[in-house]
Amino acid sequence: MKLIKTSTYEALSQMAAAQIISKIHANPRLNLGLATGSTPTGVYKRLIQDHEVNKTSYKQVNSFNLDEYIGISKKDHNSYHYFMCENLFDHIDIPIDQTHIPDGTAENLDEECRRYEQFIQEHGGIDLQILGIGQNGHIGFNEPGTSFTSRTHIINLAESTRKANSRFFESLEDVPTQAITMGIASIMESKEIFLLVSGDSKAEALARLVNGEVSEQFPASVLKNHKNVTIFADKEASALL
Ligand code: PGA
């Protein structure tokens, strides 16, 4: 894993965005894996700015999101469909039918997991996956204990994850208890991975990732087995390294 430490969150966002943009210029048909949460929003802002100023085009890009809550409609402000439209898709020229997110309202959720997994494979896999990390080491919504061989699946969200995400909901009770997430094996098949880590609440997780052992109890640790991972971490997140 390559570690890039930046002084600020803005610098982290700038550096990661610049690298994503240059990869899209090099391969306009990039299959781009996307993440939700607070961490990548700075990167998405910069992709939008660059699209407006420099006209970088996403017309041939396909995007694949990591996860979606189960039981929340696409129009709900807390769905990841809504988040992605608000924070990125509505502001760049990516055709909406080339943006892919698991459907957490599918009638048959097991079938939806199989479909999504196969769909990614049929598109040739993900070239570059953007990831955040949970305080408990989750990647996507793969909570501690998830098998490293997992494919897109239904996950019961950890209580700590529900609490962390309750800041977006009216109350903790409103936070879904389940999600569909790409599996760990699905994520590991990405040709390249950018892990974005920001803020002092992530310092322990980053230190455990860098210094700890590879274990299913700490899902992000699997990234040590991947050949092409870059971690972008700001000063606060790097405080315990
Ligand atoms: P965050 O979420 O970017 O909102 O901290 C990251 C994650 O839980 O994977």
Side-chain angles (χ1 to χ4, degrees):
M1 297 186 302
K2 184 171 150 196
L3 175 63
I4 297 179
K5 291 189 207 172
T6 64
S7 50
T8 62
Y9 173 68
E10 284 66 34
L12 175 161
S13 302
Q14 182 61 42
M15 284 189 75
Q19 293 204 24
I20 296 166
I21 291 161
S22 81
K23 284 175 196 299
I24 290 168
H25 287 163
N27 174 13
R29 304 178 64 87
L30 197 78
N31 282 343
L32 183 59
L34 296 173
T36 51
S38 303
T39 315
T41 55
V43 169
Y44 297 157
K45 279 198 184 101
R46 281 160 182 80
L47 296 185
I48 292 166
Q49 271 165 12
D50 164 76
H51 170 70
E52 285 165 358
V53 175
N54 303 314
K55 311 289 176 221
T56 300
S57 176
Y58 297 77
K59 278 196 176 136
Q60 298 183 79
V61 168
N62 271 275
S63 72
F64 301 87
N65 265 75
L66 285 166
D67 44 24
E68 177 59 285
Y69 289 119
I70 286 177
I72 287 192
S73 87
K74 290 179 190 172
K75 291 198 183 106
D76 190 298
H77 288 203
N78 278 312
S79 75
Y80 287 167
H81 279 81
Y82 190 90
F83 177 99
M84 289 310 304
C85 287
E86 283 285 297
N87 286 284
L88 187 62
F89 300 153
D90 286 353
H91 311 284
I92 57 174
D93 62 350
I94 190 165
I96 203 69
D97 62 354
Q98 286 166 217
T99 67
H100 313 293
I101 305 180
D103 180 0
T105 61
E107 220 162 274
N108 185 335
L109 292 166
D110 289 325
E111 179 53 35
E112 172 61 7
C113 292
R114 277 192 293 276
R115 182 199 67 80
Y116 195 66
E117 184 73 32
Q118 200 183 339
F119 190 73
I120 295 170
Q121 312 249 348
E122 281 166 8
H123 277 75
I126 291 168
D127 296 308
L128 173 63
Q129 176 68 55
I130 313 301
L131 285 183
I133 184 171
Q135 290 174 35
N136 64 1
H138 73 208
I139 49 174
F141 268 138
N142 293 289
E143 302 285 21
T146 304
S147 167
F148 284 171
T149 62
S150 54
R151 297 283 164 181
T152 302
H153 63 116
I154 298 171
I155 186 88
N156 293 324
L157 298 177
E159 272 317 290
S160 60
T161 298
R162 294 186 63 241
K163 274 193 194 122
N165 290 6
S166 66
R167 66 190 193 276
F168 300 113
F169 291 80
E170 283 196 4
S171 72
L172 180 59
E173 287 68 51
D174 292 335
V175 184
T177 55
Q178 291 188 311
I180 295 181
T181 182
M182 270 188 216
I184 294 190
S186 333
I187 293 171
M188 287 292 281
E189 276 175 7
S190 308
K191 295 182 189 76
E192 182 166 13
I193 293 174
F194 283 180
L195 177 68
L196 313 178
V197 195
S198 168
D200 49 16
S201 70
K202 300 292 175 67
E204 271 182 38
L206 183 58
R208 186 165 169 191
L209 169 59
V210 171
N211 300 319
E213 58 176 21
V214 175
S215 155
E216 288 181 350
Q217 293 313 312
F218 194 73
S221 64
V222 75
L223 299 174
K224 287 181 156 173
N225 296 338
H226 192 286
K227 289 196 173 58
N228 198 359
V229 175
T230 306
I231 304 172
F232 296 82
D234 63 14
K235 199 161 95 195
E236 287 77 17
S238 311
L240 301 176
L241 294 180

